[in-house]
Amino acid sequence: SFFCTSVMPPKGDSKKSAKGKAQGAAKALKKGTKKFVRKVRTNVTFHRPKTLIKQRAPKYPRRSVPRANKLDQFAVLKYPLTTESAMKKIEDNNTLVFVVDVKSTKGDVKRAVKRMYDIQTLKVNTLVRPDGQKKAYVRLTADYDALDVANKIGII
């Protein structure tokens, strides 16, 4: 047959390897091979070890269509206020007064005013009126005049 069935002995002197094995066994017997060391616990509470946390890699999107932004500039600004106190703010403080959506933030109001009327705002103050509507005081920068902007919008 052409398969070799005989096993060859290990290379080198077999007596020498046997002597080496015997010395290793004697050493292991004297010293001990494995020493079981119990971990010293310094705390009574057990904390589960931190393991690898992989980032999610979804096979398909959980939402078929991304949510549409409900608070665009047209939804944020409801209408400008034309009360006497609002007119006084326009003339004296270079400030426009709007009634805005209750969920909108000061940043939303600032962006909406910029997109609707192309004007830079210095700052926005807001308050929620007792009737539940939100009022925004939009202070314009020095290079814009609130009276001109109010005329352009159609408040005055």
Side-chain angles (χ1 to χ4, degrees), residues 46-156:
F46 174 78
H47 295 288
R48 183 177 56 81
K50 299 268 190 293
T51 55
L52 179 69
I53 300 168
K54 287 188 173 180
Q55 198 173 17
R56 289 184 179 189
K59 301 286 184 233
Y60 66 93
R62 294 298 185 262
R63 295 191 65 82
S64 60
V65 178
R67 284 197 176 109
N69 183 18
K70 287 183 182 143
L71 278 180
D72 60 344
Q73 73 262 29
F74 305 109
V76 170
L77 299 179
K78 288 185 178 176
Y79 54 89
L81 270 185
T82 56
T83 57
E84 276 186 48
S85 59
M87 292 301 156
K88 192 164 175 55
K89 287 267 186 202
I90 289 172
E91 290 160 10
D92 299 345
N93 302 344
N94 202 33
T95 301
L96 295 171
V97 185
F98 291 96
V99 171
V100 295
D101 192 275
V102 180
K103 292 189 213 77
S104 61
T105 61
K106 291 180 181 185
D108 291 340
V109 173
K110 198 170 184 173
R111 281 188 293 276
V113 167
K114 175 151 176 57
R115 287 185 71 182
M116 291 275 279
Y117 307 117
D118 296 319
I119 49 176
Q120 290 288 331
T121 60
L122 191 68
K123 69 172 185 173
V124 177
N125 288 340
T126 58
L127 64 88
V128 178
R129 303 194 312 191
D131 65 352
Q133 290 184 311
K134 188 180 269 192
K135 190 160 59 169
Y137 296 97
V138 181
R139 177 89 186 267
L140 305 182
T141 54
D143 44 311
Y144 292 100
D145 186 35
L147 262 171
D148 296 340
V149 175
N151 282 327
K152 191 177 90 175
I153 292 171
I155 299 173
I156 301 170

Side-chain angles (χ1 to χ4, degrees), residues 18-59:
K19 188 179 176 186
K21 281 183 187 175
Q23 282 177 340
K27 188 177 173 186
L29 192 67
K30 191 193 290 182
K31 199 174 180 184
T33 52
K34 270 189 179 176
K35 209 168 194 181
F36 180 73
V37 180
R38 175 168 275 131
K39 182 180 182 287
V40 178
R41 295 211 170 268
T42 57
N43 202 343
V44 292
T45 54
F46 174 78
H47 295 288
R48 183 177 56 81
K50 299 268 190 293
T51 55
L52 179 69
I53 300 168
K54 287 188 173 180
Q55 198 173 17
R56 289 184 179 189
K59 301 286 184 233

